[in-house]
């Protein structure tokens, strides 16, 4: 990930957020508007390594390891959407901000949607990037749970590579650096148990009560951008469009030749579209 951050002024560190040691990577200055970046399930802040530089020119851009993920603390709970959202709001307040822009990928988008619905006063603009929370495809849930648990139980290069390739349209984007970054996280003592707890949202009985309803999507008042991709492994562009159509005034963009990480696979296009929206230029 160092190659992605060449020439970028950034910080990496830990925050004590209500007793939860929370790891972050940030760019930009605290006197700029806050932009919180939320990764997907089983992920970590490096999901935004190719976006920190351009966004730091305009925002205090803070990518966190969400609760139970990365190098952030891992309480012994079954991780549901409200748990993640409460932690994100606590991070925002710890940083001294009453409002924030949020961009969320996959699970991060699901969490961001929950915040938009339940704590709208905390949100300025919202970006949902191949976001979870609307669909429940058993075959996708089973595949994701299997790949994730296998990688956590056996954090070998091959298992980690297979989990990361799930995210990409172009499998060559899975670099050795990215593999080793995630391998080190998954090799932490006790992480296999944490992953099983994280994967509870891939169980239909847990997932259904956490899902976002049509009425909840319709209640969102924050300016919203939905980003989808041509090769997302979790849902089709048509399903992404259904989310956008439920949110009043929402903008919808499809990025071609990308999988579940468009902000990484085609950072140039994503950064342009994303900044145009966040800055009110489109």
């Amino acid at each position: 990930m160092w190659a992605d951050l060449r020439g970028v002024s950034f910080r990496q560190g830990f925050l004590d957020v209500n007793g939860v040691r929370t790891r972050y990577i940030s760019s930009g200055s605290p006197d700029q508007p806050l932009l919180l970046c939320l990764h997907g399930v089983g992920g970590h802040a490096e999901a935004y390594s190719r976006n920190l530089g351009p966004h730091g020119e305009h925002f205090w851009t803070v990518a966190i390891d969400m609760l139970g993920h990365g190098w952030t603390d891992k309480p012994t709970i079954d991780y549901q959407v409200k748990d993640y959202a409460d932690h994100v709001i606590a991070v925002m307040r710890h940083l001294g901000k009453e409002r924030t822009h949020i961009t969320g990928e996959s699970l991060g988008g699901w969490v961001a949607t929950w915040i938009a619905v339940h704590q709208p006063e905390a949100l300025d603009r919202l970006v949902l990037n191949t976001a979870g929370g609307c669909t429940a495809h058993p075959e996708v849930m089973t595949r994701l749970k299997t790949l994730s648990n296998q990688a956590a139980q056996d954090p070998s290069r091959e298992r980690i590579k297979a989990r990361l390739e799930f995210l990409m349209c172009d499998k060559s984007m899975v670099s050795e650096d990215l593999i080793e970054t995630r391998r080190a996280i998954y090799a932490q003592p006790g992480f296999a148990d944490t992953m099983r707890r994280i994967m509870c949202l891939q169980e239909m009985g847990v997932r259904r009560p956490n899902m976002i309803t049509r009425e909840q999507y319709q209640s969102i008042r924050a300016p919203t951008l939905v980003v989808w991709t041509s090769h997302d492994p979790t849902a089709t562009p048509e399903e992404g469009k259904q989310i956008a159509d439920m949110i009043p005034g929402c903008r919808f963009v499809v990025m071609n030749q990308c999988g579940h990480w468009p902000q990484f696979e085609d950072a140039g296009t994503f950064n342009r579209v994303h900044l145009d929206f966040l800055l009110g230029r489109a």
Side-chain angles (χ1 to χ4, degrees):
M1 320 312 290
W2 289 107
D4 297 332
L5 294 167
R6 278 196 298 254
V8 176
S9 295
F10 72 97
R11 295 186 62 190
Q12 176 180 234
F14 291 86
L15 308 170
D16 182 346
V17 180
N18 297 339
V20 175
R21 189 170 187 260
T22 302
R23 184 253 191 158
Y24 72 91
I25 308 173
S26 70
S27 61
S29 169
D31 61 4
Q32 296 170 307
L34 179 62
L35 169 64
L36 288 175
C37 305
L38 309 181
H39 58 75
V41 67
H44 36 89
E46 282 85 0
Y48 293 96
S49 61
R50 297 182 175 179
N51 318 112
L52 286 164
H55 287 76
E57 296 177 13
H58 305 277
F59 300 97
W60 186 19
T61 305
V62 180
I64 64 168
D65 289 347
M66 290 202 296
L67 191 69
H69 288 70
W71 302 104
T72 289
D73 281 348
K74 299 163 181 62
T76 307
I77 61 172
D78 289 337
Y79 294 84
Q80 300 192 43
V81 175
K82 185 178 183 298
D83 300 312
Y84 296 118
D86 287 346
H87 177 241
V88 170
I89 292 296
V91 168
M92 178 193 74
R93 290 176 177 155
H94 181 91
L95 295 174
K97 300 288 188 177
E98 294 298 319
R99 295 174 66 86
T100 181
H101 303 295
I102 300 181
T103 183
E105 175 263 326
S106 192
L107 172 63
W110 193 346
V111 173
T113 307
W114 194 98
I115 292 170
V117 170
H118 295 280
Q119 295 193 261
E121 71 285 352
L123 194 61
D124 283 322
R125 287 180 176 250
L126 172 67
V127 180
L128 305 180
N129 174 10
T130 62
C134 186
T135 61
H137 299 307
E139 67 282 2
V140 174
M141 294 158 59
T142 298
R143 185 183 176 203
L144 180 57
K145 182 170 65 172
T146 300
L147 286 171
S148 299
N149 283 331
Q150 286 177 343
Q153 291 162 8
D154 172 23
S156 63
R157 179 188 179 280
E158 292 71 24
R159 294 288 195 191
I160 299 295
K161 183 172 184 286
R163 176 62 176 85
L164 288 165
E165 285 181 342
F166 173 82
L167 303 170
M168 308 294 182
C169 173
D170 178 0
K171 309 305 183 190
S172 70
M173 300 293 284
V174 179
S175 67
E176 292 300 322
D177 193 19
L178 182 55
I179 292 170
E180 180 56 26
T181 296
R182 184 163 290 201
R183 191 209 62 76
I185 290 169
Y186 281 27
Q188 293 174 90
F191 193 76
D193 180 64
T194 298
M195 182 64 82
R196 286 191 291 270
R197 295 176 181 281
I198 286 170
M199 285 294 123
C200 73
L201 286 172
Q202 308 310 315
E203 300 287 346
M204 196 66 77
V206 178
R207 188 181 189 88
R208 287 292 186 192
N210 281 271
M211 290 176 66
I212 310 298
T213 67
R214 172 178 291 275
E215 291 72 22
Q216 288 174 329
Y217 279 116
Q218 291 173 338
S219 75
I220 294 173
R221 293 295 176 261
T224 304
L225 168 67
V226 170
V227 177
W228 223 262
T229 69
S230 58
H231 290 74
D232 181 69
T234 66
T236 65
E238 290 75 19
E239 288 170 310
K241 182 67 160 56
Q242 289 171 7
I243 294 174
D245 286 346
M246 289 187 282
I247 301 172
C250 182
R251 186 177 177 216
F252 179 66
V253 172
V254 176
M255 289 180 56
N256 291 318
Q257 299 305 309
C258 291
H260 206 48
W261 268 23
Q263 80 285 352
F264 187 90
E265 281 199 88
D266 185 359
T269 298
F270 182 88
N271 290 337
R272 175 178 54 78
V273 170
H274 201 243
L275 282 169
D276 281 349
F277 170 74
L278 291 174
L279 294 169
R281 300 190 301 220

